[in-house]
């Protein structure tokens, strides 16, 4: 299993890096959209939607707002010209406020899983509400990963991805080496508190290395440095509980993986579960740090 994971990662990582640096923003957004739709298909199966028609409707419910927001600036421009309302262009930044809902959702999910894991496992949520939750977290993943790439560049996008990968690897090996105390045995018996600490430390080290390099290049601003490291550590923490959130859904469904498309990793959701929770939180943090600078 570990060998399969390594081989799959060795194939996927270079492709992801190429996509981050070589694709134009529009094509990167399209690629993330396609991956999101594959994850959405897995989500419908995970929450018990078996009808191909209903699963298709769920995909359409994602595709339509994706298209609308992808062409948001063009839509505002057409509105400004058609209604002779030039001030409408000022609403181009309104999309930033959409980050609030997923950030609050993931913070609430983290608190509930941390404090009442058994209660979370016993929650009985209607399928339509599970579909709504899936829509929210998947749509926000596409939106804010696309915007991270478009507004903050390839280097910051790769930084974020490597942050999640590094934390995941560190958690695995720290847990194997030092793991004694279970983090949430009811939900995921394999995760340990020591593994979590390993992930947080790895995130802090990676953040310090990244901001150190760019700090020397652009000039240090110590408040920004500490804020960036803190944001990275909190992003890793959120990502861990994002993983646990999907573990809850899988346990309720009675499956080990969300799919089998990635050898050694399971499905698309199994591979990006941590990233889904982390993207809106990291994007919001970067936006706030930028406003404070």
């Amino acid at each position: 299993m570990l060998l399969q994971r390594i081989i799959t990662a060795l194939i996927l990582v270079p492709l992801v890096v190429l996509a981050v640096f070589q694709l134009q923003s529009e094509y990167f957004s399209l690629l993330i959209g396609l991956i999101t739709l594959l994850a959405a298909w897995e989500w419908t199966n995970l929450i018990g939607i078996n009808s191909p028609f209903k699963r298709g409707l769920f995909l359409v419910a994602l595709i339509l707002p994706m298209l609308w927001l992808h062409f948001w600036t063009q839509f505002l421009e057409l509105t400004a010209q058609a209604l002779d309302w030039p001030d409408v262009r000022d609403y181009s930044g309104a999309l930033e406020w959409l980050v609030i809902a997923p950030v609050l959702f993931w913070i609430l999910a983290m608190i509930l899983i941390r404090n009442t894991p058994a209660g979370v496992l016993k929650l009985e949520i209607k399928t339509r509400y599970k579909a709504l939750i899936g829509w929210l977290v998947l749509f926000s993943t596409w939106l804010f990963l696309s915007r991270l790439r478009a507004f903050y560049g390839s280097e910051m996008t790769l930084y974020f991805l490597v942050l999640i990968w590094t934390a995941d690897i560190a958690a695995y090996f720290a847990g194997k080496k030092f793991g004694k105390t279970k983090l949430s045995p009811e939900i995921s018996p394999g995760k340990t508190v020591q593994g979590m600490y390993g992930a947080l430390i790895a995130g802090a080290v990676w953040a310090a290395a990244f901001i150190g390099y760019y700090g020397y290049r652009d000039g240090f601003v110590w408040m920004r440095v500490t804020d960036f490291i803190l944001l990275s550590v909190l992003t890793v923490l959120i990502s861990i509980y994002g993983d646990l959130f999907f573990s809850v859904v899988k346990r309720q469904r009675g499956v080990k993986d969300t799919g089998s498309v990635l050898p050694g990793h399971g499905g698309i959701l199994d591979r990006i579960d941590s990233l889904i929770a982390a993207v809106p939180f990291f994007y919001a943090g970067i936006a706030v740090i930028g406003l404070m600078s």
Side-chain angles (χ1 to χ4, degrees):
M1 180 65 74
L2 179 58
L3 180 60
Q4 281 186 325
R5 289 174 66 92
I6 292 173
I7 292 172
T8 302
L10 289 175
I11 294 171
L12 290 179
V13 168
L15 294 177
V16 171
V17 173
L18 281 173
V20 169
F21 280 95
Q22 297 300 320
L23 291 181
Q24 296 180 6
S25 295
E26 294 80 4
Y27 293 114
F28 182 79
S29 179
L30 176 61
L31 175 62
I32 298 303
L34 292 174
I35 294 172
T36 301
L37 293 176
L38 289 174
W41 187 263
E42 292 182 352
W43 177 259
T44 56
N45 178 63
L46 199 58
I47 63 175
I49 298 178
N50 300 315
S51 166
F53 176 73
K54 291 182 178 179
R55 297 174 80 172
L57 281 180
F58 185 75
L59 297 187
V60 171
L62 278 169
I63 292 170
L64 292 180
M66 282 179 175
L67 290 173
W68 181 47
L69 293 188
H70 183 76
F71 295 105
W72 175 249
T73 54
Q74 293 90 331
F75 169 77
L76 292 179
E77 185 62 32
L78 289 173
T79 304
Q81 294 177 11
L83 301 179
D84 192 22
W85 183 19
D87 290 343
V88 75
R89 298 185 182 96
D90 297 336
Y91 289 94
S92 61
L95 298 183
E96 300 291 79
W97 293 97
L98 295 179
V99 79
I100 294 175
V103 167
L104 291 178
F105 171 80
W106 286 116
I107 291 175
L108 177 62
M110 179 178 69
I111 293 172
L112 290 176
I113 292 172
R114 173 67 182 84
N115 293 327
T116 59
V120 170
L121 277 173
K122 294 177 182 177
L123 278 176
E124 294 184 3
I125 302 175
K126 292 183 177 180
T127 302
R128 59 176 170 268
Y129 296 128
K130 290 182 180 180
L132 181 60
I133 290 171
W135 183 91
L136 171 66
V137 301
L138 291 170
F139 179 73
S140 61
T141 299
W142 167 79
L143 178 60
F144 294 108
L145 188 55
S146 297
R147 291 176 73 82
L148 182 67
R149 170 65 168 75
F151 297 136
Y152 296 98
S154 300
E155 291 173 336
M156 186 61 75
T157 304
L158 185 63
Y159 167 80
F160 167 73
L161 294 174
V162 174
L163 174 69
I164 302 304
W165 298 339
T166 300
D168 187 37
I169 294 169
Y172 177 82
F173 286 105
K176 285 286 186 182
K177 180 68 175 178
F178 306 107
K180 293 181 180 179
T181 307
K182 300 297 183 182
L183 178 62
S184 186
E186 302 94 337
I187 297 173
S188 183
K191 288 182 173 56
T192 64
V193 173
Q194 291 74 20
M196 180 183 71
Y197 288 151
L200 297 177
I201 292 170
V205 170
W206 171 233
F210 181 86
I211 201 67
Y213 171 75
Y214 285 99
Y216 276 116
R217 192 180 73 172
D218 301 330
F220 270 111
V221 178
W222 285 110
M223 183 59 72
R224 187 175 65 189
V225 170
T226 55
D227 287 346
F228 188 77
I229 294 174
L230 178 60
L231 170 62
S232 298
V233 171
L234 292 177
T235 299
V236 169
L237 184 63
I238 285 284
S239 76
I240 292 170
Y241 281 91
D243 189 334
L244 287 171
F245 168 81
F246 283 97
S247 294
V248 168
V249 182
K250 285 187 285 188
R251 277 192 169 273
Q252 290 178 337
R253 179 64 170 165
V255 297
K256 182 178 182 295
D257 297 318
T258 62
S260 58
V261 68
L262 300 175
H265 293 271
I268 299 293
L269 280 175
D270 292 311
R271 183 61 274 165
I272 65 172
D273 49 9
S274 300
L275 183 147
I276 289 172
V279 167
F281 189 88
F282 183 78
Y283 182 89
I286 289 295
V288 169
I289 291 174
L291 291 173
M292 294 171 57
S293 299

